[in-house]
Amino acid sequence: MPAATAESDDVPRRLEPWLAERLGTGVRVLDVRPATQGMSDETFFVQLAEGGGHPRELVIRRYRAGGVLREITDPERHFHVLAALGNKGIPVPRVLWFEPDTAVLGGAFFVMERVAGTVPVPWSTEGRAFLGAAGRGPVGEQFIDVLAVIHHVDWRGPEFAFLAPPAPGRGFALAEVEKLAELVARYRSEPEPIFEDAIGWLREHAPEPPAITLVHGDYRTGNLIYDGDRIAAVLDWEFACLGDPMLDVAWVCAGSNRMESDLVCYLLPMQRFLDGYRQRTGWDPSPERLRFWETFHQLRNALVWLSAGNAFSRGRTDDLRFARMALRLPVMRRLVAELLEYR
């Protein structure tokens, strides 16, 4: 990831006065390391010394204006979700500051404390081995526990006032489908009959939720930090909202989060996960609800690939990963088509 490394060379000079102002003391940035260069944002580990004290490590999440699905994600909203969850019994990083001024680091960003642990790549050989073993230990049950706690958060307090409750009945599902319909129209450069069929099917089959809850929106093993035999933090809350908890349950079970594995998110047998979730919440992840939300997710996931290819072909990025994603788009189309039961 040479681009991120090159940009990180200039981060200390630009960041030191900004941090000094917020901490109210002299600050020296000792080291900046790119942790990830994501499709929508970049993450940096920043080691600093303040006021002559011991070194301290913070994490900066910087957003890319041209990132994938940027139209439906908001960095400031992401920051406020994490801030609101700080005392809700959910393991999340402690956020410190949000900076909307892109002149500081070349993009809006927020700063949080670092959580110790590892984030394995689920579909890598090493990641699959790690998760398969973790699922047989305490992490397997914790994975279900954490999702149940998210869905039982009392979101009616003032700290969640920035999240608007959805319209009643089928309102949440229909509104989410229309967001995808708008993205299909925006990104396509040629006809997308499978995507159009999926939009029509989703409109017809939109369910009412069993309850309105806080929804993570991208809950999976690749968005967790693991420290030994525990889940240390839940990351990547860009899609968080108030809505149908089955949206999260279906994404855990979705084909693209397990591919040829018989373990959901490469972690647990599906029935164990569904039974555990039902026992903890009292809500039934029925096959009909799961199929609707999995179809939604696979379409949204395919739009990530379509968005990436669109950005590369139109010259908005020279990141070759975006071009490679365009080549994989037929696989994403197939996953959507299989859920529509094409013959």
Side-chain angles (χ1 to χ4, degrees):
M1 293 177 285
T5 303
E7 290 184 19
S8 68
D9 292 342
D10 194 41
V11 169
R13 178 185 62 80
R14 300 159 73 181
L15 194 58
E16 282 179 351
W18 188 90
L19 285 170
E21 181 179 348
R22 277 142 193 84
L23 292 168
T25 185
V27 170
R28 186 161 56 97
V29 174
L30 305 174
D31 185 42
V32 176
R33 291 182 295 112
T36 63
Q37 185 184 18
M39 297 296 179
S40 296
D41 59 86
E42 295 133 329
T43 302
F44 298 96
F45 294 142
V46 178
Q47 188 181 55
L48 59 103
E50 51 180 300
H54 294 292
R56 175 184 183 186
E57 193 160 42
L58 300 177
V59 178
I60 290 180
R61 183 156 178 149
R62 180 178 64 181
Y63 282 74
R64 307 170 67 177
V68 295
L69 297 191
R70 178 54 69 223
E71 296 86 349
I72 57 174
T73 58
D74 176 359
E76 186 168 10
R77 186 168 165 277
H78 189 178
F79 171 83
H80 286 303
V81 169
L82 286 169
L85 291 171
N87 62 350
K88 301 299 180 183
I90 300 167
V92 294
R94 179 172 174 259
V95 290
L96 302 174
W97 310 287
F98 174 76
E99 178 53 71
D101 187 355
T102 60
V104 179
L105 288 183
F109 66 92
F110 64 79
V111 182
M112 51 190 162
E113 295 183 345
R114 184 175 181 186
V115 176
T118 60
V119 184
V121 178
W123 49 86
S124 69
T125 301
E126 298 79 6
R128 291 181 61 173
F130 172 89
L131 293 170
R136 295 188 292 272
V139 166
E141 292 302 309
Q142 289 171 23
F143 182 77
I144 311 173
D145 289 338
V146 170
L147 185 59
V149 173
I150 291 171
H151 291 166
H152 279 116
V153 163
D154 182 3
W155 51 265
R156 293 172 177 80
E159 65 271 38
F160 290 104
F162 64 95
L163 294 178
R170 300 166 70 229
F172 173 71
L174 289 172
E176 292 299 299
V177 171
E178 292 313 308
K179 290 178 186 177
L180 297 191
E182 291 173 8
L183 293 178
V184 170
R186 178 187 295 270
Y187 295 143
R188 67 183 175 195
S189 56
E190 59 186 33
E192 289 287 353
I194 293 175
F195 294 173
E196 296 289 353
D197 284 356
I199 291 294
W201 186 90
L202 289 166
R203 285 171 175 154
E204 181 179 352
H205 292 87
E208 293 190 16
I212 296 299
T213 74
L214 178 66
V215 173
H216 180 280
D218 195 12
Y219 189 77
R220 57 188 178 87
T221 46
N223 283 338
L224 305 177
I225 297 177
Y226 307 87
D227 186 15
D229 61 357
R230 71 186 185 95
I231 295 172
V234 183
L235 307 174
D236 294 346
W237 293 78
E238 297 101 318
F239 296 113
C241 61
L242 301 179
D244 188 339
M246 295 301 116
L247 182 150
D248 283 337
V249 175
W251 187 223
V252 170
C253 300
S256 60
N257 279 332
R258 53 188 169 87
M259 299 308 287
E260 72 277 9
S261 173
D262 59 357
L263 303 177
V264 297
C265 283
Y266 304 104
L267 187 73
L268 293 169
M270 184 180 296
Q271 201 57 52
R272 178 182 163 193
F273 167 72
L274 293 176
D275 288 346
Y277 180 83
R278 187 182 295 109
Q279 291 165 6
R280 289 162 172 81
T281 65
W283 298 318
D284 181 28
S286 68
E288 294 77 17
R289 292 181 187 278
L290 292 179
R291 183 184 173 198
F292 174 86
W293 285 115
E294 183 177 355
T295 304
F296 168 87
H297 277 296
Q298 294 296 181
L299 178 57
R300 189 177 75 177
N301 202 42
L303 288 174
V304 172
W305 268 249
L306 185 62
S307 169
N310 179 287
F312 188 86
S313 65
R314 298 188 181 185
R316 294 199 298 271
T317 179
D318 59 359
D319 190 330
L320 290 178
R321 295 174 306 158
F322 284 55
R324 286 196 293 269
M325 289 177 73
L327 295 176
R328 294 278 293 169
L329 189 54
V331 176
M332 299 300 108
R333 289 192 182 100
R334 176 178 59 80
L335 289 171
V336 176
E338 287 174 351
L339 286 163
L340 296 175
E341 297 183 342
Y342 277 13
R343 295 291 187 267

